[in-house]
Amino acid sequence: MRDFWRSRKTRLALTFVATLSLSVGCGGTDGGSGANDKAAPVKVGIVEQPPYSSQDKSTGAGTGVCPQLITAAFTAAGRPEPTYIVASAYSDLISGLQAKRWDMVGACLQITAERCQQVAFTDPLETETFSLAVPNGNPKQIASLGQFGKGGLKLGLLRGSTTNAKAKALGVPESAISLYPSVRDLIDAVNAGRVDAAFAGGQSLQGIAAEGVTFLAASDVVLQPAAAAFRKDDKELMDVFSRGLKTIKDNGKYKSISESNGFDPKITINVTAEQACTAR
């Protein structure tokens, strides 16, 4: 009987130790990697929108200017390469972050006053330019967004993008706007005649191999910084990233990654998140 109780106590002690080990090993934020777990890859939400962000299907690595900068920053900060998760739509990026499906948004969101209330932006990673995609020959002679407030012209926009607010601010009525889930769908809508032009980030539009369309600068739209984003309460992880970002700015990697993807680093390299948020 004594041996029974001795073995039973041993089993209980081992069970307690195992349970304690599991509870410590599984620490961190629900749905995320947790800033305190230095060995765990950060989960990064992106969308398929080259050259800003995309995913190599064979390796799972993030590609495009924003994931490349993010990977370089975390590596410089001594963290493992992030895990990239492709959201089903651009409009899911912030909601997925808030629901803790990923630890940060890595698709480079344009910095707006509304988004500055929702998320904590990093310092800008690139500065957004915008383009109109029109049928070859530009038969309607489109040069600006302001033209879509009259004459029955139809404009295609990316659902969840800040281009919607930009268009409305320049007088484009809701009735003239058609929303699409991806840049590929925007180009297809122009080619099919469902819209007279599509308006989106210039690099993302031109990153789609497309026949039948011409890309034009919208004369009434200004440049806008874009950045990665964290949940506002995830300050420790954001601090890790910020240290890494400063390192790659200092050692020249920021410049080389930006330029290799067709972006001008001089426009953004010295702009802070605070400056971008308060300028809006």
Side-chain angles (χ1 to χ4, degrees):
M1 182 65 71
R2 183 176 300 170
D3 289 340
F4 168 80
W5 283 109
R6 183 181 295 116
S7 63
R8 184 172 184 271
K9 288 178 181 178
T10 300
R11 288 197 302 272
L12 288 171
L14 289 173
T15 300
F16 173 77
V17 171
T19 302
L20 180 61
S21 297
L22 283 172
S23 66
V24 172
C26 294
T29 307
D30 290 343
S33 61
N36 293 321
D37 189 351
K38 304 297 189 295
V42 175
K43 296 178 181 177
V44 182
I46 60 173
V47 289
E48 288 292 340
Q49 192 179 9
Y52 303 101
S53 66
S54 189
Q55 186 180 49
D56 186 317
K57 297 300 185 293
S58 62
T59 66
T63 60
V65 65
C66 304
Q68 287 179 28
L69 288 170
I70 289 166
T71 297
F74 276 121
T75 301
R79 296 292 294 264
E81 289 194 8
T83 297
Y84 289 93
I85 302 168
V86 179
S88 58
Y90 188 88
S91 55
D92 293 338
L93 288 170
I94 290 180
S95 61
L97 177 68
Q98 293 169 336
K100 299 185 178 180
R101 294 199 295 274
W102 34 81
D103 302 306
M104 69 181 293
V105 173
C108 280
L109 298 169
Q110 294 161 36
I111 300 175
T112 67
E114 180 183 5
R115 286 175 176 168
C116 288
Q117 297 299 313
Q118 296 174 313
V119 298
F121 277 108
T122 68
D123 289 343
L125 299 184
E126 48 94 356
T127 295
E128 185 73 276
T129 58
F130 297 91
S131 292
L132 289 160
V134 299
N136 285 340
N138 194 11
K140 303 275 179 84
Q141 296 300 296
I142 294 169
S144 67
L145 285 187
Q147 292 175 249
F148 290 85
K150 51 204 164 185
L153 294 174
K154 293 289 185 181
L155 180 66
L157 300 175
L158 186 65
R159 184 177 291 116
S161 169
T162 57
T163 53
N164 203 319
K166 285 183 175 295
K168 289 178 180 177
L170 291 169
V172 182
E174 192 81 45
S175 59
I177 294 172
S178 296
L179 299 177
Y180 294 90
S182 72
V183 176
R184 176 75 266 174
D185 291 318
L186 285 176
I187 297 292
D188 290 345
V190 174
N191 279 325
R194 293 191 293 273
V195 296
D196 298 296
F199 176 63
Q203 293 279 13
S204 62
L205 277 175
Q206 294 170 49
I208 298 289
E211 295 181 357
V213 297
T214 298
F215 302 108
L216 309 169
S219 62
D220 48 357
V221 177
V222 298
L223 299 180
Q224 185 168 7
F230 293 88
R231 290 185 290 275
K232 283 182 172 287
D233 61 357
D234 211 350
K235 186 176 185 304
E236 186 173 351
L237 185 57
M238 188 169 180
D239 286 346
V240 171
F241 177 82
S242 296
R243 289 197 302 271
L245 182 60
K246 182 180 185 306
T247 297
I248 65 171
K249 285 182 176 181
D250 291 343
N251 66 20
K253 187 164 284 190
Y254 179 96
K255 180 176 183 290
S256 64
I257 291 173
S258 299
E259 290 178 342
S260 68
N261 284 278
F263 293 87
D264 183 355
K266 295 191 297 293
I267 299 174
T268 302
I269 194 167
N270 293 318
V271 180
T272 67
E274 183 180 6
Q275 289 169 336
C277 279
T278 55
R280 311 250 78 77

